[in-house]
Amino acid sequence: MSKVSHVDRFDNAVNNFLERFRGNRFFDGLFYFASTVGDFSIVWYFSAVIKAIGPDVNQDAAMRLALSLMAESIFINVFVKSFFKRSRPVHDGPRPHRLRIPVTSSFPSGHASSGFMAATLLSDGQIIQMPLWFSIALIVATSRIYVRIHHASDVAGGAIIGTGIGLLIINLWVISS
């Protein structure tokens, strides 16, 4: 009899919780869309463009976000994922929407790390906007569990790493507001 780890129990509990929502048109649409716009940090690069040309123009913040997204992607996808080499959840069933299936390690979730890093950077000095950015990051990150591309622990790890990277960047790169 094999022993089930705390991580496996956590992953299974979150997956079982989300199972009750799978197959619902609203949640399928929301989470598959969120997963897709999280690919290659599309939603976060779009946010950088809005920062650069939108109503609260801050081109320094936009540049910091765009450059940080590139650096974070290289760090996570080239170095961190190659170190852990964790397999992705097994799912042989049909999916309600098309989905890009990555070939990299499952840990950590790049969607979660980029999302939480971006939310941290976008919230810097913008306390009123903080709930918006972290809600988007949470939806994108959760989508990866929902669509069965990541384990919940991959997403939790990615969120922690991304937040840490964001805080590090804030402390190293001072933005003139």
Side-chain angles (χ1 to χ4, degrees):
M1 183 163 129
S2 68
K3 189 173 182 177
V4 177
S5 72
H6 293 297
V7 172
D8 290 336
R9 277 195 284 261
F10 171 71
D11 290 342
N12 291 335
V14 173
N15 190 55
N16 290 339
F17 173 78
L18 290 176
E19 189 60 39
R20 68 185 77 184
F21 301 101
R22 292 181 178 120
N24 176 289
R25 287 182 61 172
F26 172 78
F27 289 111
D28 283 356
L30 172 68
F31 287 123
Y32 276 84
F33 176 76
S35 190
T36 299
V37 298
D39 276 344
F40 310 108
S41 297
I42 293 168
V43 64
W44 305 116
Y45 282 110
F46 180 75
S47 300
V49 170
I50 297 303
K51 269 285 194 207
I53 65 173
D56 296 325
V57 173
N58 188 333
Q59 293 180 341
D60 288 339
M63 181 62 68
R64 176 178 74 172
L65 177 57
L67 292 173
S68 297
L69 285 165
M70 286 186 264
E72 179 273 342
S73 179
I74 292 167
F75 175 67
I76 294 297
N77 290 299
V78 174
F79 298 108
V80 179
K81 285 181 178 266
S82 66
F83 180 76
F84 286 98
K85 297 179 182 169
R86 185 178 191 196
S87 61
R88 293 185 180 272
V90 176
H91 177 69
D92 294 331
R95 298 184 192 271
H97 303 282
R98 293 186 62 207
L99 189 66
R100 184 182 70 83
I101 309 295
V103 295
T104 57
S105 171
S106 191
F107 184 87
S109 165
H111 281 58
S113 63
S114 64
F116 278 83
M117 181 199 71
T120 301
L121 296 176
L122 289 163
S123 297
D124 184 24
Q126 306 292 320
I127 195 80
I128 292 173
Q129 295 177 8
M130 188 180 285
L132 168 68
W133 298 123
F134 278 95
S135 294
I136 295 169
L138 184 61
I139 290 168
V140 169
T142 302
S143 76
R144 303 305 277 174
I145 308 163
Y146 185 91
V147 302
R148 298 180 178 102
I149 296 294
H150 280 290
H151 304 282
S153 53
D154 301 333
V155 169
I160 292 166
I161 293 168
T163 302
I165 292 171
L167 292 171
L168 178 65
I169 291 166
I170 286 170
N171 286 302
L172 295 176
W173 186 328
V174 178
I175 296 290
S176 57
S177 301

